[in-house]
Amino acid sequence: ALADAATHLDQAHRLRPDDVTIACNRIAVAIDLKDHEGALEVATLARAQADPSLRIARYRAFVAQELGRFDEAAETYDFVLARAPDDFESWNNLGNARSALGDFDGAIAALERAVALDRQAAPTRLNHALTLRSAGRAEAAEAALRDAARDFPADARPLHELYVLLKELGRHAEALETLEAAAARDGNDMVVQLKLAIEYGLVMDADKAEIAYRRVLAGRPQEHLAYLGLAIHYEHANREDELAPLVELAT
């Protein structure tokens, strides 16, 4: 009963505005209610700076980031990290905030610190690689993605992002091989399967393209691009008699 909880916590917060626990509880409920503006009204900069536990500051930074107020998020993460320099999650989040502000050098520095603190945090490793790519440092991004793909052999995301990078670099044959490896890791990722179907179509491997499109439709029946891809495939293969059943399936 989040709305009722918010009502009672508002009253408690008015009576004891400097109580950190009450403030944190009110912020948490606001976040659960998707009321990020309301959460930020409680997690003020002054209240965050007065809280030695840094709980309010971490909430403030998170909520500001959710609202797209990245300058406030970065300022608050800097405040947290000046007092908790080994907080790898805040380093990671600071990197994301700086990246959103276009400060790629600052973002990379923050994410490198996060990676150094915990190399087993797969999302941080991926954030680091993607920020390198956004900064135009393709060689470093490729190395970081290959390292992540090696270190997290069950995770398809580094390979998928490596595929995107290789496509951007015009290395299409390597990109297809990388996408196939990503699909082998996670056969339920319909985004990867759809891209694989499209790639097979580009290299004129009609049989593999059809299998991939059918796999997409089995997992995501509303994916219009898969229907379109199959329709084009049937037309090119002179299999017009299969178009009517495909249209019926799509409707």
Side-chain angles (χ1 to χ4, degrees):
L2 294 174
D4 290 341
T7 298
H8 295 301
L9 286 165
D10 280 338
Q11 184 176 357
H13 182 59
R14 282 193 297 271
L15 292 169
R16 298 181 62 177
D18 297 326
D19 189 301
V20 170
T21 297
I22 292 173
C24 286
N25 288 340
R26 181 63 186 92
I27 295 165
V29 168
I31 291 172
D32 287 341
L33 287 167
K34 308 299 182 186
D35 178 17
H36 294 117
E37 291 283 359
L40 198 60
E41 288 177 8
V42 179
T44 62
L45 181 60
R47 197 166 278 131
Q49 292 174 341
D51 170 23
S53 74
L54 301 177
R55 287 183 293 165
I56 295 177
R58 288 188 174 96
Y59 271 130
R60 175 179 172 78
F62 167 77
V63 172
Q65 198 160 0
E66 288 293 298
L67 289 169
R69 295 162 65 165
F70 299 110
D71 52 346
E72 294 177 64
E75 176 188 31
T76 310
Y77 283 126
D78 279 331
F79 173 83
V80 170
L81 289 165
R83 291 152 182 79
D86 293 335
D87 181 354
F88 90 92
E89 290 183 348
S90 289
W91 281 113
N92 173 75
N93 294 334
L94 174 60
N96 292 337
R98 286 178 174 172
S99 180
L101 291 167
D103 177 12
F104 293 119
D105 289 340
I108 291 167
L111 288 163
E112 285 177 348
R113 182 68 180 271
V115 170
L117 287 167
D118 187 356
R119 287 190 59 81
Q120 298 307 307
T124 301
R125 297 276 296 277
L126 190 61
N127 288 339
H128 177 233
L130 296 183
T131 304
L132 288 168
R133 189 176 76 193
S134 296
R137 295 169 56 177
E139 185 176 346
E142 180 179 350
L145 287 168
R146 292 190 184 279
D147 286 347
R150 180 199 63 227
D151 293 346
F152 305 103
D155 191 346
R157 291 172 299 173
L159 289 174
H160 178 219
E161 296 299 340
L162 179 59
Y163 153 78
V164 173
L165 176 62
L166 293 171
K167 288 288 288 185
E168 291 175 352
L169 296 173
R171 292 157 59 182
H172 300 293
E174 289 179 74
L176 176 55
E177 291 176 1
T178 303
L179 190 62
E180 288 175 325
R185 288 188 177 186
D186 185 359
N188 295 318
D189 188 330
M190 294 301 109
V191 172
V192 170
Q193 291 295 332
L194 181 59
K195 290 183 179 180
L196 192 59
I198 293 169
E199 290 291 338
Y200 283 142
L202 292 174
V203 298
M204 308 302 289
D205 193 333
D207 291 340
K208 288 184 178 179
E210 181 174 358
I211 291 171
Y213 278 128
R214 288 290 183 185
R215 190 176 294 123
V216 172
L217 291 177
R220 189 186 290 178
Q222 304 302 317
E223 181 54 68
H224 68 279
L225 290 176
Y227 291 107
L228 179 61
L230 273 178
I232 293 171
H233 168 61
Y234 290 156
E235 183 181 9
H236 288 173
N238 296 317
R239 293 165 58 183
E240 288 86 353
D241 57 322
E242 298 185 54
L243 287 172
L246 182 64
V247 170
E248 184 178 352
L249 180 64
T251 56

mmCIF file of all heavy atoms in Angstrom, residues 92-133:
data_model
loop_
_atom_site.group_PDB
_atom_site.id
_atom_site.type_symbol
_atom_site.label_atom_id
_atom_site.label_comp_id
_atom_site.label_asym_id
_atom_site.label_seq_id
_atom_site.Cartn_x
_atom_site.Cartn_y
_atom_site.Cartn_z
ATOM 1 N N ASN A 92 30.942 3.747 -11.081
ATOM 2 C CA ASN A 92 30.265 3.326 -12.309
ATOM 3 C C ASN A 92 29.168 4.325 -12.687
ATOM 4 O O ASN A 92 29.065 4.758 -13.844
ATOM 5 C CB ASN A 92 29.656 1.941 -12.107
ATOM 6 C CG ASN A 92 28.787 1.506 -13.269
ATOM 7 O OD1 ASN A 92 29.277 1.143 -14.333
ATOM 8 N ND2 ASN A 92 27.469 1.531 -13.083
ATOM 9 N N ASN A 93 28.354 4.711 -11.720
ATOM 10 C CA ASN A 93 27.257 5.627 -11.994
ATOM 11 C C ASN A 93 27.757 7.024 -12.357
ATOM 12 O O ASN A 93 27.164 7.710 -13.201
ATOM 13 C CB ASN A 93 26.316 5.691 -10.795
ATOM 14 C CG ASN A 93 25.603 4.378 -10.555
ATOM 15 O OD1 ASN A 93 25.404 3.595 -11.469
ATOM 16 N ND2 ASN A 93 25.220 4.123 -9.311
ATOM 17 N N LEU A 94 28.848 7.436 -11.727
ATOM 18 C CA LEU A 94 29.450 8.719 -12.084
ATOM 19 C C LEU A 94 29.918 8.686 -13.539
ATOM 20 O O LEU A 94 29.737 9.656 -14.285
ATOM 21 C CB LEU A 94 30.622 9.036 -11.154
ATOM 22 C CG LEU A 94 31.436 10.286 -11.499
ATOM 23 C CD1 LEU A 94 30.559 11.540 -11.464
ATOM 24 C CD2 LEU A 94 32.627 10.434 -10.552
ATOM 25 N N GLY A 95 30.502 7.545 -13.936
ATOM 26 C CA GLY A 95 30.931 7.410 -15.327
ATOM 27 C C GLY A 95 29.770 7.549 -16.294
ATOM 28 O O GLY A 95 29.871 8.229 -17.320
ATOM 29 N N ASN A 96 28.651 6.929 -15.959
ATOM 30 C CA ASN A 96 27.469 7.026 -16.819
ATOM 31 C C ASN A 96 26.942 8.460 -16.873
ATOM 32 O O ASN A 96 26.523 8.936 -17.940
ATOM 33 C CB ASN A 96 26.375 6.081 -16.322
ATOM 34 C CG ASN A 96 26.752 4.625 -16.500
ATOM 35 O OD1 ASN A 96 27.587 4.283 -17.328
ATOM 36 N ND2 ASN A 96 26.139 3.758 -15.721
ATOM 37 N N ALA A 97 26.934 9.143 -15.728
ATOM 38 C CA ALA A 97 26.452 10.529 -15.698
ATOM 39 C C ALA A 97 27.359 11.440 -16.513
ATOM 40 O O ALA A 97 26.888 12.285 -17.284
ATOM 41 C CB ALA A 97 26.361 11.013 -14.252
ATOM 42 N N ARG A 98 28.663 11.270 -16.365
ATOM 43 C CA ARG A 98 29.596 12.105 -17.132
ATOM 44 C C ARG A 98 29.480 11.821 -18.623
ATOM 45 O O ARG A 98 29.560 12.737 -19.444
ATOM 46 C CB ARG A 98 31.025 11.854 -16.656
ATOM 47 C CG ARG A 98 31.333 12.476 -15.296
ATOM 48 C CD ARG A 98 32.743 12.154 -14.858
ATOM 49 N NE ARG A 98 33.118 12.850 -13.626
ATOM 50 C CZ ARG A 98 34.238 12.628 -12.937
ATOM 51 N NH1 ARG A 98 35.101 11.707 -13.375
ATOM 52 N NH2 ARG A 98 34.490 13.311 -11.841
ATOM 53 N N SER A 99 29.278 10.553 -18.971
ATOM 54 C CA SER A 99 29.099 10.204 -20.378
ATOM 55 C C SER A 99 27.873 10.905 -20.954
ATOM 56 O O SER A 99 27.896 11.427 -22.078
ATOM 57 C CB SER A 99 28.971 8.692 -20.527
ATOM 58 O OG SER A 99 28.803 8.329 -21.889
ATOM 59 N N ALA A 100 26.781 10.932 -20.184
ATOM 60 C CA ALA A 100 25.558 11.595 -20.640
ATOM 61 C C ALA A 100 25.770 13.092 -20.813
ATOM 62 O O ALA A 100 25.085 13.727 -21.626
ATOM 63 C CB ALA A 100 24.430 11.334 -19.650
ATOM 64 N N LEU A 101 26.726 13.666 -20.084
ATOM 65 C CA LEU A 101 27.045 15.084 -20.210
ATOM 66 C C LEU A 101 28.031 15.355 -21.343
ATOM 67 O O LEU A 101 28.377 16.512 -21.603
ATOM 68 C CB LEU A 101 27.628 15.609 -18.886
ATOM 69 C CG LEU A 101 26.645 15.693 -17.713
ATOM 70 C CD1 LEU A 101 27.394 15.908 -16.407
ATOM 71 C CD2 LEU A 101 25.626 16.806 -17.934
ATOM 72 N N GLY A 102 28.494 14.292 -22.000
ATOM 73 C CA GLY A 102 29.461 14.452 -23.077
ATOM 74 C C GLY A 102 30.897 14.539 -22.604
ATOM 75 O O GLY A 102 31.803 14.788 -23.413
ATOM 76 N N ASP A 103 31.123 14.327 -21.312
ATOM 77 C CA ASP A 103 32.482 14.354 -20.753
ATOM 78 C C ASP A 103 33.050 12.940 -20.812
ATOM 79 O O ASP A 103 33.087 12.221 -19.809
ATOM 80 C CB ASP A 103 32.433 14.869 -19.306
ATOM 81 C CG ASP A 103 33.796 14.865 -18.626
ATOM 82 O OD1 ASP A 103 34.819 14.677 -19.329
ATOM 83 O OD2 ASP A 103 33.839 15.019 -17.386
ATOM 84 N N PHE A 104 33.490 12.532 -22.009
ATOM 85 C CA PHE A 104 33.916 11.147 -22.178
ATOM 86 C C PHE A 104 35.225 10.851 -21.453
ATOM 87 O O PHE A 104 35.404 9.756 -20.919
ATOM 88 C CB PHE A 104 34.036 10.811 -23.663
ATOM 89 C CG PHE A 104 32.718 10.818 -24.378
ATOM 90 C CD1 PHE A 104 32.488 11.684 -25.431
ATOM 91 C CD2 PHE A 104 31.698 9.975 -23.975
ATOM 92 C CE1 PHE A 104 31.253 11.701 -26.078
ATOM 93 C CE2 PHE A 104 30.458 9.978 -24.619
ATOM 94 C CZ PHE A 104 30.249 10.844 -25.671
ATOM 95 N N ASP A 105 36.142 11.814 -21.416
ATOM 96 C CA ASP A 105 37.393 11.579 -20.691
ATOM 97 C C ASP A 105 37.106 11.356 -19.202
ATOM 98 O O ASP A 105 37.656 10.434 -18.582
ATOM 99 C CB ASP A 105 38.344 12.765 -20.878
ATOM 100 C CG ASP A 105 38.912 12.836 -22.290
ATOM 101 O OD1 ASP A 105 38.882 11.806 -22.997
ATOM 102 O OD2 ASP A 105 39.381 13.918 -22.680
ATOM 103 N N GLY A 106 36.244 12.214 -18.637
ATOM 104 C CA GLY A 106 35.893 12.050 -17.231
ATOM 105 C C GLY A 106 35.137 10.758 -16.987
ATOM 106 O O GLY A 106 35.334 10.085 -15.963
ATOM 107 N N ALA A 107 34.273 10.383 -17.935
ATOM 108 C CA ALA A 107 33.510 9.143 -17.803
ATOM 109 C C ALA A 107 34.430 7.934 -17.831
ATOM 110 O O ALA A 107 34.296 7.014 -17.010
ATOM 111 C CB ALA A 107 32.482 9.046 -18.922
ATOM 112 N N ILE A 108 35.362 7.934 -18.766
ATOM 113 C CA ILE A 108 36.284 6.797 -18.877
ATOM 114 C C ILE A 108 37.136 6.686 -17.625
ATOM 115 O O ILE A 108 37.361 5.578 -17.111
ATOM 116 C CB ILE A 108 37.156 6.948 -20.139
ATOM 117 C CG1 ILE A 108 36.283 6.752 -21.387
ATOM 118 C CG2 ILE A 108 38.315 5.956 -20.134
ATOM 119 C CD1 ILE A 108 36.949 7.175 -22.678
ATOM 120 N N ALA A 109 37.598 7.811 -17.102
ATOM 121 C CA ALA A 109 38.412 7.779 -15.877
ATOM 122 C C ALA A 109 37.624 7.184 -14.718
ATOM 123 O O ALA A 109 38.145 6.357 -13.943
ATOM 124 C CB ALA A 109 38.889 9.192 -15.537
ATOM 125 N N ALA A 110 36.357 7.590 -14.579
ATOM 126 C CA ALA A 110 35.521 7.061 -13.494
ATOM 127 C C ALA A 110 35.265 5.570 -13.672
ATOM 128 O O ALA A 110 35.340 4.787 -12.713
ATOM 129 C CB ALA A 110 34.199 7.827 -13.433
ATOM 130 N N LEU A 111 34.975 5.160 -14.900
ATOM 131 C CA LEU A 111 34.684 3.747 -15.146
ATOM 132 C C LEU A 111 35.934 2.892 -15.004
ATOM 133 O O LEU A 111 35.853 1.743 -14.560
ATOM 134 C CB LEU A 111 34.064 3.586 -16.533
ATOM 135 C CG LEU A 111 32.628 4.122 -16.624
ATOM 136 C CD1 LEU A 111 32.209 4.322 -18.070
ATOM 137 C CD2 LEU A 111 31.658 3.184 -15.920
ATOM 138 N N GLU A 112 37.087 3.429 -15.360
ATOM 139 C CA GLU A 112 38.334 2.680 -15.141
ATOM 140 C C GLU A 112 38.569 2.456 -13.651
ATOM 141 O O GLU A 112 39.038 1.384 -13.244
ATOM 142 C CB GLU A 112 39.505 3.422 -15.778
ATOM 143 C CG GLU A 112 39.539 3.311 -17.294
ATOM 144 C CD GLU A 112 40.648 4.105 -17.931
ATOM 145 O OE1 GLU A 112 41.272 4.941 -17.225
ATOM 146 O OE2 GLU A 112 40.902 3.906 -19.138
ATOM 147 N N ARG A 113 38.225 3.454 -12.851
ATOM 148 C CA ARG A 113 38.356 3.286 -11.395
ATOM 149 C C ARG A 113 37.395 2.213 -10.906
ATOM 150 O O ARG A 113 37.749 1.369 -10.060
ATOM 151 C CB ARG A 113 38.071 4.621 -10.706
ATOM 152 C CG ARG A 113 38.228 4.588 -9.198
ATOM 153 C CD ARG A 113 39.681 4.401 -8.765
ATOM 154 N NE ARG A 113 39.804 4.377 -7.327
ATOM 155 C CZ ARG A 113 39.982 5.465 -6.571
ATOM 156 N NH1 ARG A 113 40.047 6.662 -7.133
ATOM 157 N NH2 ARG A 113 40.101 5.358 -5.262
ATOM 158 N N ALA A 114 36.158 2.214 -11.432
ATOM 159 C CA ALA A 114 35.168 1.208 -11.033
ATOM 160 C C ALA A 114 35.640 -0.190 -11.410
ATOM 161 O O ALA A 114 35.523 -1.135 -10.619
ATOM 162 C CB ALA A 114 33.826 1.510 -11.693
ATOM 163 N N VAL A 115 36.176 -0.343 -12.621
ATOM 164 C CA VAL A 115 36.662 -1.649 -13.072
ATOM 165 C C VAL A 115 37.832 -2.111 -12.207
ATOM 166 O O VAL A 115 37.928 -3.293 -11.855
ATOM 167 C CB VAL A 115 37.060 -1.582 -14.556
ATOM 168 C CG1 VAL A 115 37.794 -2.851 -14.976
ATOM 169 C CG2 VAL A 115 35.825 -1.373 -15.431
ATOM 170 N N ALA A 116 38.719 -1.190 -11.867
ATOM 171 C CA ALA A 116 39.863 -1.555 -11.030
ATOM 172 C C ALA A 116 39.411 -2.048 -9.658
ATOM 173 O O ALA A 116 40.038 -2.942 -9.071
ATOM 174 C CB ALA A 116 40.798 -0.353 -10.876
ATOM 175 N N LEU A 117 38.312 -1.493 -9.156
ATOM 176 C CA LEU A 117 37.811 -1.898 -7.840
ATOM 177 C C LEU A 117 37.106 -3.247 -7.883
ATOM 178 O O LEU A 117 37.122 -3.986 -6.898
ATOM 179 C CB LEU A 117 36.865 -0.831 -7.293
ATOM 180 C CG LEU A 117 37.530 0.460 -6.819
ATOM 181 C CD1 LEU A 117 36.491 1.546 -6.592
ATOM 182 C CD2 LEU A 117 38.329 0.218 -5.534
ATOM 183 N N ASP A 118 36.480 -3.575 -9.014
ATOM 184 C CA ASP A 118 35.769 -4.860 -9.118
ATOM 185 C C ASP A 118 35.684 -5.289 -10.579
ATOM 186 O O ASP A 118 34.769 -4.894 -11.300
ATOM 187 C CB ASP A 118 34.367 -4.752 -8.520
ATOM 188 C CG ASP A 118 33.653 -6.105 -8.450
ATOM 189 O OD1 ASP A 118 34.228 -7.100 -8.934
ATOM 190 O OD2 ASP A 118 32.534 -6.164 -7.921
ATOM 191 N N ARG A 119 36.617 -6.117 -11.012
ATOM 192 C CA ARG A 119 36.629 -6.577 -12.401
ATOM 193 C C ARG A 119 35.558 -7.625 -12.662
ATOM 194 O O ARG A 119 35.302 -7.975 -13.813
ATOM 195 C CB ARG A 119 37.997 -7.163 -12.774
ATOM 196 C CG ARG A 119 39.085 -6.125 -12.954
ATOM 197 C CD ARG A 119 40.345 -6.734 -13.549
ATOM 198 N NE ARG A 119 40.116 -7.360 -14.842
ATOM 199 C CZ ARG A 119 40.055 -6.694 -15.998
ATOM 200 N NH1 ARG A 119 40.180 -5.367 -16.010
ATOM 201 N NH2 ARG A 119 39.855 -7.331 -17.126
ATOM 202 N N GLN A 120 34.911 -8.122 -11.617
ATOM 203 C CA GLN A 120 33.879 -9.143 -11.803
ATOM 204 C C GLN A 120 32.479 -8.546 -11.980
ATOM 205 O O GLN A 120 31.512 -9.291 -12.107
ATOM 206 C CB GLN A 120 33.888 -10.106 -10.604
ATOM 207 C CG GLN A 120 35.197 -10.865 -10.448
ATOM 208 C CD GLN A 120 35.602 -11.569 -11.742
ATOM 209 O OE1 GLN A 120 34.825 -12.317 -12.325
ATOM 210 N NE2 GLN A 120 36.830 -11.339 -12.183
ATOM 211 N N ALA A 121 32.389 -7.233 -12.003
ATOM 212 C CA ALA A 121 31.098 -6.580 -12.223
ATOM 213 C C ALA A 121 30.887 -6.424 -13.726
ATOM 214 O O ALA A 121 31.383 -5.480 -14.343
ATOM 215 C CB ALA A 121 31.063 -5.231 -11.523
ATOM 216 N N ALA A 122 30.142 -7.355 -14.302
ATOM 217 C CA ALA A 122 29.967 -7.375 -15.758
ATOM 218 C C ALA A 122 29.335 -6.093 -16.307
ATOM 219 O O ALA A 122 29.788 -5.583 -17.344
ATOM 220 C CB ALA A 122 29.143 -8.596 -16.165
ATOM 221 N N PRO A 123 28.293 -5.529 -15.680
ATOM 222 C CA PRO A 123 27.712 -4.293 -16.228
ATOM 223 C C PRO A 123 28.709 -3.145 -16.289
ATOM 224 O O PRO A 123 28.701 -2.354 -17.240
ATOM 225 C CB PRO A 123 26.562 -3.985 -15.266
ATOM 226 C CG PRO A 123 26.196 -5.312 -14.674
ATOM 227 C CD PRO A 123 27.502 -6.033 -14.532
ATOM 228 N N THR A 124 29.592 -3.048 -15.283
ATOM 229 C CA THR A 124 30.588 -1.979 -15.289
ATOM 230 C C THR A 124 31.575 -2.166 -16.424
ATOM 231 O O THR A 124 31.953 -1.200 -17.108
ATOM 232 C CB THR A 124 31.327 -1.941 -13.938
ATOM 233 O OG1 THR A 124 30.383 -1.735 -12.893
ATOM 234 C CG2 THR A 124 32.359 -0.836 -13.913
ATOM 235 N N ARG A 125 31.988 -3.396 -16.643
ATOM 236 C CA ARG A 125 32.916 -3.671 -17.742
ATOM 237 C C ARG A 125 32.284 -3.283 -19.079
ATOM 238 O O ARG A 125 32.934 -2.717 -19.964
ATOM 239 C CB ARG A 125 33.288 -5.159 -17.734
ATOM 240 C CG ARG A 125 34.030 -5.631 -16.468
ATOM 241 C CD ARG A 125 35.519 -5.352 -16.565
ATOM 242 N NE ARG A 125 36.108 -6.121 -17.653
ATOM 243 C CZ ARG A 125 36.496 -7.404 -17.561
ATOM 244 N NH1 ARG A 125 36.320 -8.068 -16.431
ATOM 245 N NH2 ARG A 125 37.052 -8.017 -18.588
ATOM 246 N N LEU A 126 30.998 -3.587 -19.227
ATOM 247 C CA LEU A 126 30.311 -3.247 -20.470
ATOM 248 C C LEU A 126 30.161 -1.732 -20.602
ATOM 249 O O LEU A 126 30.376 -1.176 -21.693
ATOM 250 C CB LEU A 126 28.947 -3.929 -20.506
ATOM 251 C CG LEU A 126 28.202 -3.877 -21.845
ATOM 252 C CD1 LEU A 126 28.996 -4.565 -22.942
ATOM 253 C CD2 LEU A 126 26.833 -4.528 -21.715
ATOM 254 N N ASN A 127 29.801 -1.056 -19.519
ATOM 255 C CA ASN A 127 29.696 0.409 -19.556
ATOM 256 C C ASN A 127 31.011 1.042 -19.985
ATOM 257 O O ASN A 127 31.037 2.001 -20.775
ATOM 258 C CB ASN A 127 29.295 0.947 -18.181
ATOM 259 C CG ASN A 127 27.848 0.659 -17.838
ATOM 260 O OD1 ASN A 127 27.028 0.408 -18.710
ATOM 261 N ND2 ASN A 127 27.528 0.700 -16.554
ATOM 262 N N HIS A 128 32.102 0.517 -19.454
ATOM 263 C CA HIS A 128 33.430 1.040 -19.798
ATOM 264 C C HIS A 128 33.695 0.891 -21.292
ATOM 265 O O HIS A 128 34.112 1.835 -21.969
ATOM 266 C CB HIS A 128 34.489 0.294 -18.982
ATOM 267 C CG HIS A 128 35.891 0.689 -19.304
ATOM 268 N ND1 HIS A 128 36.861 -0.231 -19.629
ATOM 269 C CD2 HIS A 128 36.488 1.906 -19.378
ATOM 270 C CE1 HIS A 128 37.989 0.398 -19.866
ATOM 271 N NE2 HIS A 128 37.793 1.690 -19.723
ATOM 272 N N ALA A 129 33.420 -0.285 -21.823
ATOM 273 C CA ALA A 129 33.665 -0.532 -23.240
ATOM 274 C C ALA A 129 32.795 0.352 -24.125
ATOM 275 O O ALA A 129 33.259 0.909 -25.127
ATOM 276 C CB ALA A 129 33.410 -2.008 -23.556
ATOM 277 N N LEU A 130 31.530 0.498 -23.760
ATOM 278 C CA LEU A 130 30.609 1.308 -24.568
ATOM 279 C C LEU A 130 30.984 2.786 -24.527
ATOM 280 O O LEU A 130 30.816 3.506 -25.526
ATOM 281 C CB LEU A 130 29.177 1.122 -24.095
ATOM 282 C CG LEU A 130 28.606 -0.291 -24.249
ATOM 283 C CD1 LEU A 130 27.151 -0.339 -23.804
ATOM 284 C CD2 LEU A 130 28.726 -0.771 -25.682
ATOM 285 N N THR A 131 31.506 3.235 -23.395
ATOM 286 C CA THR A 131 31.937 4.631 -23.308
ATOM 287 C C THR A 131 33.181 4.857 -24.161
ATOM 288 O O THR A 131 33.313 5.906 -24.812
ATOM 289 C CB THR A 131 32.201 5.019 -21.844
ATOM 290 O OG1 THR A 131 31.017 4.769 -21.074
ATOM 291 C CG2 THR A 131 32.557 6.488 -21.721
ATOM 292 N N LEU A 132 34.076 3.899 -24.188
ATOM 293 C CA LEU A 132 35.231 3.985 -25.085
ATOM 294 C C LEU A 132 34.767 4.086 -26.537
ATOM 295 O O LEU A 132 35.299 4.879 -27.317
ATOM 296 C CB LEU A 132 36.133 2.764 -24.902
ATOM 297 C CG LEU A 132 36.934 2.687 -23.602
ATOM 298 C CD1 LEU A 132 37.548 1.297 -23.440
ATOM 299 C CD2 LEU A 132 38.027 3.762 -23.578
ATOM 300 N N ARG A 133 33.756 3.302 -26.892
ATOM 301 C CA ARG A 133 33.223 3.354 -28.254
ATOM 302 C C ARG A 133 32.607 4.719 -28.547
ATOM 303 O O ARG A 133 32.838 5.304 -29.610
ATOM 304 C CB ARG A 133 32.186 2.254 -28.464
ATOM 305 C CG ARG A 133 31.734 2.096 -29.913
ATOM 306 C CD ARG A 133 30.782 0.924 -30.060
ATOM 307 N NE ARG A 133 29.452 1.241 -29.562
ATOM 308 C CZ ARG A 133 28.501 0.348 -29.334
ATOM 309 N NH1 ARG A 133 28.736 -0.939 -29.518
ATOM 310 N NH2 ARG A 133 27.313 0.720 -28.901
#
